[in-house]
Amino acid sequence: MTEEGAGGKHEQVIKSVAAASFYAFMSGAMAFINKSLVTNYGFNCPMFILLIQMLMLVCAFEACSTLRLITLSAYTAQLGKSLLYPSLLYIASSSFALLSLSDLNIPMYNVIKRLCPLANVLLARFMLHNYGISPRVLSTVLLITVGSVLAGYGDLTFSMESYFYGLASTISQSLYLLMVQKCAKEDAISVLDISYIISVNAFPMCLISIFIFGELPKLTSFHGWHLQGFAANFFLVTFSGTLLVYSQFLCTSVTSALTTSVSSSIKSVLTTIIGLFTFGGIHVTPMGAFGIALNTVGGVLYTLFKYLESKRPLTVPTSIRS
């Protein structure tokens, strides 16, 4: 390898590590920032939060396009219609996630969100053609699921409502990602255009939802607008949501979708550990603690096996292939 080639490869490695680290940091930080806003200030208006995030996203996309930093396809009714359902599912996933954090601690939130692989396995068999899964990856999905059940059973602060919101967020997120994957392959829409179109679609949806779900009276009667630190926390929630979408796109484009999932898995482990000692910690039985550990190990093994399978062609048994 020439010196120039080695230098270029080294530079690419640095960019990849920086992009993956940026995404992992933003993804992990969002859970704590959202939790802080809901727990410390009692601000339970997820649709309003999403409305501001979508507004900031659209403005950021338009500004970058005007400055020719990025290339965007013009928004059309046809493109908007093609991503209508993913837009609805994105709003559902994000709003349910915010609602679940009102009574759910960070480690248990991570436990439930790790059920995404199970939801993907079940849903992908019906939504994607030629979908297959190896036995060892399937075993890690089952390990994650068993760990989640044990963790929930041993959670002394169990809240059925919060668990329902967490599961609803997981299912809608899986549907959203599968539909986006399908749109990207069948309609050849770039990840950046998908993010932009969904942001435009989601803005009026969030605005209407504020009235449908009765958030307007909550906003007008909320007395925490002038509390110390609220403005900074609210700005962090909305701005970080924008950066999270950008960091996810950056990580996927600079590295790969697989690296993005690896970063997410590492983030999940770290936030689980930090969550044990923040926001009042976690109150679980030994069985619950074992479930969290089982769930975490399953998440790490799932990512490891998917990585190993990406390194070589994999023959999936007919009995498991859809």
Short mmCIF file of all heavy atoms in Angstrom, two decimals, residues 103-128:
data_model
loop_
_atom_site.label_atom_id
_atom_site.label_comp_id
_atom_site.label_asym_id
_atom_site.label_seq_id
_atom_site.Cartn_x
_atom_site.Cartn_y
_atom_site.Cartn_z
N ASP A 103 -42.40 7.43 34.12
CA ASP A 103 -42.35 6.57 35.30
C ASP A 103 -41.34 5.43 35.16
O ASP A 103 -41.17 4.65 36.09
CB ASP A 103 -43.73 5.95 35.57
CG ASP A 103 -44.75 7.00 36.00
OD1 ASP A 103 -44.41 7.85 36.84
OD2 ASP A 103 -45.89 6.96 35.48
N LEU A 104 -40.68 5.34 34.03
CA LEU A 104 -39.76 4.23 33.79
C LEU A 104 -38.33 4.70 33.97
O LEU A 104 -37.94 5.74 33.45
CB LEU A 104 -39.97 3.72 32.35
CG LEU A 104 -39.68 2.25 32.04
CD1 LEU A 104 -40.54 1.34 32.91
CD2 LEU A 104 -39.94 1.97 30.57
N ASN A 105 -37.53 3.92 34.75
CA ASN A 105 -36.13 4.28 34.92
C ASN A 105 -35.34 3.92 33.66
O ASN A 105 -35.78 3.13 32.83
CB ASN A 105 -35.53 3.60 36.16
CG ASN A 105 -35.76 2.10 36.16
OD1 ASN A 105 -35.24 1.39 35.31
ND2 ASN A 105 -36.55 1.60 37.10
N ILE A 106 -34.15 4.49 33.53
CA ILE A 106 -33.36 4.33 32.32
C ILE A 106 -32.99 2.86 32.04
O ILE A 106 -33.13 2.40 30.90
CB ILE A 106 -32.07 5.18 32.39
CG1 ILE A 106 -32.42 6.67 32.50
CG2 ILE A 106 -31.19 4.95 31.16
CD1 ILE A 106 -33.10 7.25 31.28
N PRO A 107 -32.51 2.08 33.03
CA PRO A 107 -32.19 0.68 32.73
C PRO A 107 -33.38 -0.11 32.21
O PRO A 107 -33.24 -0.89 31.26
CB PRO A 107 -31.71 0.13 34.09
CG PRO A 107 -31.17 1.32 34.81
CD PRO A 107 -32.08 2.45 34.40
N MET A 108 -34.56 0.06 32.81
CA MET A 108 -35.74 -0.68 32.36
C MET A 108 -36.20 -0.17 30.98
O MET A 108 -36.71 -0.94 30.17
CB MET A 108 -36.88 -0.55 33.37
CG MET A 108 -36.62 -1.25 34.70
SD MET A 108 -36.10 -2.97 34.52
CE MET A 108 -37.47 -3.65 33.61
N TYR A 109 -36.00 1.11 30.73
CA TYR A 109 -36.32 1.67 29.41
C TYR A 109 -35.45 1.00 28.35
O TYR A 109 -35.92 0.62 27.27
CB TYR A 109 -36.08 3.18 29.43
CG TYR A 109 -36.21 3.86 28.09
CD1 TYR A 109 -37.46 4.13 27.54
CD2 TYR A 109 -35.08 4.24 27.37
CE1 TYR A 109 -37.58 4.76 26.30
CE2 TYR A 109 -35.18 4.86 26.14
CZ TYR A 109 -36.44 5.12 25.62
OH TYR A 109 -36.54 5.74 24.40
N ASN A 110 -34.15 0.83 28.66
CA ASN A 110 -33.25 0.16 27.73
C ASN A 110 -33.64 -1.29 27.53
O ASN A 110 -33.52 -1.84 26.42
CB ASN A 110 -31.81 0.24 28.24
CG ASN A 110 -31.18 1.60 28.01
OD1 ASN A 110 -31.55 2.31 27.08
ND2 ASN A 110 -30.24 1.97 28.86
N VAL A 111 -34.09 -1.95 28.62
CA VAL A 111 -34.51 -3.35 28.53
C VAL A 111 -35.64 -3.50 27.52
O VAL A 111 -35.63 -4.39 26.66
CB VAL A 111 -34.96 -3.87 29.92
CG1 VAL A 111 -35.76 -5.16 29.78
CG2 VAL A 111 -33.74 -4.12 30.80
N ILE A 112 -36.63 -2.62 27.61
CA ILE A 112 -37.78 -2.70 26.72
C ILE A 112 -37.39 -2.35 25.29
O ILE A 112 -37.81 -3.00 24.33
CB ILE A 112 -38.91 -1.77 27.20
CG1 ILE A 112 -39.46 -2.28 28.54
CG2 ILE A 112 -40.04 -1.69 26.19
CD1 ILE A 112 -40.51 -1.38 29.16
N LYS A 113 -36.54 -1.32 25.12
CA LYS A 113 -36.14 -0.90 23.78
C LYS A 113 -35.30 -1.97 23.08
O LYS A 113 -35.25 -2.03 21.86
CB LYS A 113 -35.36 0.41 23.83
CG LYS A 113 -36.19 1.61 24.29
CD LYS A 113 -37.32 1.91 23.33
CE LYS A 113 -36.84 2.61 22.09
NZ LYS A 113 -37.96 3.01 21.20
N ARG A 114 -34.66 -2.86 23.88
CA ARG A 114 -33.87 -3.93 23.27
C ARG A 114 -34.76 -5.03 22.69
O ARG A 114 -34.27 -5.99 22.09
CB ARG A 114 -32.90 -4.53 24.28
CG ARG A 114 -31.64 -3.71 24.50
CD ARG A 114 -30.54 -4.53 25.16
NE ARG A 114 -29.63 -3.65 25.85
CZ ARG A 114 -29.64 -3.45 27.17
NH1 ARG A 114 -30.53 -4.06 27.91
NH2 ARG A 114 -28.78 -2.63 27.71
N LEU A 115 -36.07 -4.90 22.88
CA LEU A 115 -36.99 -5.86 22.27
C LEU A 115 -37.19 -5.57 20.77
O LEU A 115 -37.90 -6.31 20.09
CB LEU A 115 -38.34 -5.82 22.98
CG LEU A 115 -38.38 -6.46 24.38
CD1 LEU A 115 -39.73 -6.21 25.04
CD2 LEU A 115 -38.09 -7.95 24.31
N CYS A 116 -36.57 -4.49 20.29
CA CYS A 116 -36.67 -4.14 18.87
C CYS A 116 -36.25 -5.31 17.95
O CYS A 116 -36.93 -5.56 16.95
CB CYS A 116 -35.82 -2.91 18.55
SG CYS A 116 -36.73 -1.35 18.76
N PRO A 117 -35.15 -6.03 18.27
CA PRO A 117 -34.79 -7.16 17.40
C PRO A 117 -35.90 -8.20 17.30
O PRO A 117 -36.14 -8.75 16.22
CB PRO A 117 -33.54 -7.74 18.08
CG PRO A 117 -32.93 -6.58 18.78
CD PRO A 117 -34.09 -5.76 19.26
N LEU A 118 -36.57 -8.49 18.43
CA LEU A 118 -37.67 -9.46 18.41
C LEU A 118 -38.80 -8.96 17.51
O LEU A 118 -39.33 -9.72 16.68
CB LEU A 118 -38.20 -9.71 19.82
CG LEU A 118 -39.45 -10.60 19.92
CD1 LEU A 118 -39.13 -12.01 19.43
CD2 LEU A 118 -39.98 -10.65 21.36
N ALA A 119 -39.15 -7.69 17.68
CA ALA A 119 -40.21 -7.10 16.84
C ALA A 119 -39.80 -7.13 15.37
O ALA A 119 -40.63 -7.41 14.49
CB ALA A 119 -40.50 -5.67 17.30
N ASN A 120 -38.52 -6.85 15.11
CA ASN A 120 -38.05 -6.86 13.72
C ASN A 120 -38.14 -8.26 13.10
O ASN A 120 -38.54 -8.42 11.95
CB ASN A 120 -36.60 -6.37 13.65
CG ASN A 120 -36.49 -4.87 13.78
OD1 ASN A 120 -37.41 -4.15 13.45
ND2 ASN A 120 -35.36 -4.40 14.27
N VAL A 121 -37.76 -9.27 13.90
CA VAL A 121 -37.81 -10.65 13.40
C VAL A 121 -39.24 -11.04 13.05
O VAL A 121 -39.50 -11.62 12.00
CB VAL A 121 -37.23 -11.62 14.46
CG1 VAL A 121 -37.54 -13.07 14.08
CG2 VAL A 121 -35.73 -11.43 14.58
N LEU A 122 -40.17 -10.73 13.95
CA LEU A 122 -41.56 -11.12 13.74
C LEU A 122 -42.20 -10.35 12.59
O LEU A 122 -42.92 -10.92 11.76
CB LEU A 122 -42.36 -10.89 15.03
CG LEU A 122 -41.94 -11.74 16.24
CD1 LEU A 122 -42.74 -11.34 17.47
CD2 LEU A 122 -42.11 -13.22 15.95
N LEU A 123 -41.92 -9.04 12.53
CA LEU A 123 -42.57 -8.21 11.52
C LEU A 123 -41.92 -8.33 10.14
O LEU A 123 -42.60 -8.27 9.13
CB LEU A 123 -42.53 -6.74 11.97
CG LEU A 123 -43.35 -6.41 13.22
CD1 LEU A 123 -43.04 -4.99 13.71
CD2 LEU A 123 -44.84 -6.54 12.95
N ALA A 124 -40.60 -8.52 10.12
CA ALA A 124 -39.89 -8.59 8.84
C ALA A 124 -40.31 -9.80 8.02
O ALA A 124 -40.26 -9.78 6.79
CB ALA A 124 -38.38 -8.62 9.07
N ARG A 125 -40.73 -10.86 8.69
CA ARG A 125 -41.16 -12.06 7.97
C ARG A 125 -42.39 -11.79 7.10
O ARG A 125 -42.64 -12.48 6.12
CB ARG A 125 -41.47 -13.18 8.97
CG ARG A 125 -40.25 -13.68 9.71
CD ARG A 125 -40.62 -14.75 10.73
NE ARG A 125 -41.10 -15.96 10.07
CZ ARG A 125 -40.34 -16.95 9.62
NH1 ARG A 125 -39.03 -16.86 9.75
NH2 ARG A 125 -40.86 -18.01 9.05
N PHE A 126 -43.16 -10.76 7.49
CA PHE A 126 -44.36 -10.42 6.74
C PHE A 126 -44.15 -9.23 5.80
O PHE A 126 -44.88 -9.06 4.83
CB PHE A 126 -45.52 -10.10 7.70
CG PHE A 126 -45.88 -11.24 8.61
CD1 PHE A 126 -45.40 -11.28 9.91
CD2 PHE A 126 -46.69 -12.28 8.17
CE1 PHE A 126 -45.72 -12.33 10.75
CE2 PHE A 126 -47.02 -13.33 9.01
CZ PHE A 126 -46.54 -13.36 10.31
N MET A 127 -43.15 -8.41 6.09
CA MET A 127 -42.99 -7.16 5.35
C MET A 127 -41.88 -7.19 4.31
O MET A 127 -41.92 -6.42 3.34
CB MET A 127 -42.73 -6.00 6.33
CG MET A 127 -43.90 -5.73 7.28
SD MET A 127 -43.54 -4.38 8.43
CE MET A 127 -43.33 -3.00 7.32
N LEU A 128 -40.87 -8.03 4.52
CA LEU A 128 -39.72 -8.06 3.61
C LEU A 128 -39.64 -9.39 2.88
O LEU A 128 -39.93 -10.44 3.46
CB LEU A 128 -38.42 -7.81 4.38
CG LEU A 128 -38.29 -6.48 5.13
CD1 LEU A 128 -36.96 -6.42 5.86
CD2 LEU A 128 -38.44 -5.30 4.19
#
